């Protein structure tokens, strides 16, 4: 049993895709923005701003904006509590057996937990939605709300950034996470020729000296997969 941190956002994205149209417009409220603790990443969403579901998904999954998670949750379910119930129902439907989600963004909570296996099942489920896979492979995104200034964000996934030490040429995206209790987390995907793998790393050490341990672990897992497996009829 582990803390998934912001890898949680993949489940939130699944529910957004299944319950909304990408061009639905969400008006940001103070309730949505006030839910995020001060030390957590945001997209600087402001009450009154109007953004689409697609825009919220981009800032949720690329820079890992926590305010976008709460905006989606409240838009879809009316409250964080109702959305958490929806998350847990979906997780059970996907096949998760040892998870409990209390919020849409992975804000630390002792009752918000999962396992590497369950997060892998959630990641695999997300792969069926191009609305998600088309976003998680991007290295940056510019948010342009209808009634506010634009702002540009970089991905938190260093596996897909060519200028990073731990760039992996076959990486295709997915979602990172970090809190002090959760450690460094990631759901990662990679594709080489016709073979695709998904790896989950939870509670890796914090990066140091440009070494991102969760990336190294993912690369090791992916290389093992590509070298030791083949598809046969």
């Amino acid at each position: 049993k582990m803390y998934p941190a912001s890898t949680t956002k993949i489940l939130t994205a699944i529910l957004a895709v299944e319950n909304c149209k990408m061009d639905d417009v969400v008006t940001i409220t103070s309730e949505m923005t006030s839910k995020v603790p001060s030390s957590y990443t945001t997209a600087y969403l402001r009450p009154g701003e109007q953004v689409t579901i697609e825009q919220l998904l981009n800032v949720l999954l690329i820079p890992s904006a926590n305010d976008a998670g709460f905006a989606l949750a409240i838009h879809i379910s009316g409250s964080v509590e109702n959305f958490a119930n929806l998350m847990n129902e979906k997780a059970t439907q996907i096949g998760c057996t040892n998870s409990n989600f209390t919020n849409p963004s992975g804000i630390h909570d002792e009752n918000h937990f999962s396992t590497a296996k369950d997060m892998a099942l959630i990641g695999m489920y997300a792969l069926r939605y191009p609305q998600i896979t088309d976003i998680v492979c991007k290295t940056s995104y510019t948010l342009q709300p209808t009634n506010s200034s634009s702002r540009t964000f970089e991905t938190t996934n260093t596996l897909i950034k060519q200028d990073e030490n731990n760039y992996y040429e076959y990486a295709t995206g997915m979602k990172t996470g970090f809190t002090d209790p959760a450690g460094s987390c990631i759901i990662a995907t990679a594709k080489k020729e016709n073979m695709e793998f998904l790896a989950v790393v939870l509670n890796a050490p914090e990066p140091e000296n440009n070494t991102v341990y969760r990336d190294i672990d993912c690369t090791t897992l992916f290389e093992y997969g590509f070298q030791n497996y083949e598809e046969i009829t």
Side-chain angles (χ1 to χ4, degrees), residues 30-180:
S30 56
E31 182 188 9
M32 296 169 178
T33 58
S34 65
K35 298 284 187 186
V36 184
S38 59
S39 61
Y40 284 77
T41 302
T42 72
Y44 312 106
L45 297 175
R46 305 179 188 94
E49 276 189 324
Q50 293 188 314
V51 289
T52 64
I53 295 295
E54 183 178 9
Q55 288 174 316
L56 285 172
L57 282 173
N58 272 274
V59 293
L60 179 81
L61 298 173
I62 297 172
S64 199
N66 292 285
D67 47 358
F70 286 104
L72 288 165
I74 292 168
H75 174 75
I76 292 167
S77 297
S79 72
V80 173
E81 294 73 22
N82 288 343
F83 189 75
N85 291 335
L86 197 63
M87 294 174 78
N88 289 316
E89 288 172 15
K90 190 67 190 182
T92 300
Q93 180 192 329
I94 289 170
C96 300
T97 56
N98 200 17
S99 296
N100 187 66
F101 299 97
T102 63
N103 68 78
S105 291
I107 303 296
H108 181 67
D109 179 334
E110 286 192 355
N111 294 315
H112 186 104
F113 57 82
S114 189
T115 65
K117 179 184 176 182
D118 282 0
M119 294 312 297
L121 291 171
I122 290 167
M124 293 290 285
Y125 190 90
L127 291 176
R128 66 181 65 190
Y129 293 117
Q131 301 97 315
I132 295 173
T133 56
D134 288 350
I135 291 173
V136 296
C137 62
K138 297 178 188 176
T139 56
S140 65
Y141 178 73
T142 298
L143 175 66
Q144 295 180 308
T146 54
N147 54 344
S148 187
S149 57
S150 65
R151 60 213 78 143
T152 299
F153 302 96
E154 296 291 312
T155 183
T156 55
N157 185 356
T158 46
L159 279 170
I160 61 173
K161 294 187 75 173
Q162 290 192 23
D163 57 349
E164 293 286 345
N165 285 2
N166 298 304
Y167 169 72
Y168 183 60
E169 63 178 315
Y170 302 115
T172 54
M174 224 54 167
K175 187 72 197 74
T176 65
F178 176 82
T179 65
D180 286 331

Side-chain angles (χ1 to χ4, degrees), residues 6-7 17 25 47 71 87 102 111 144-145 165 186 224:
S6 285
T7 60
V17 170
V25 175
M87 294 174 78
T102 63
N111 294 315
Q144 295 180 308
N165 285 2
I186 192 169
Y224 179 87

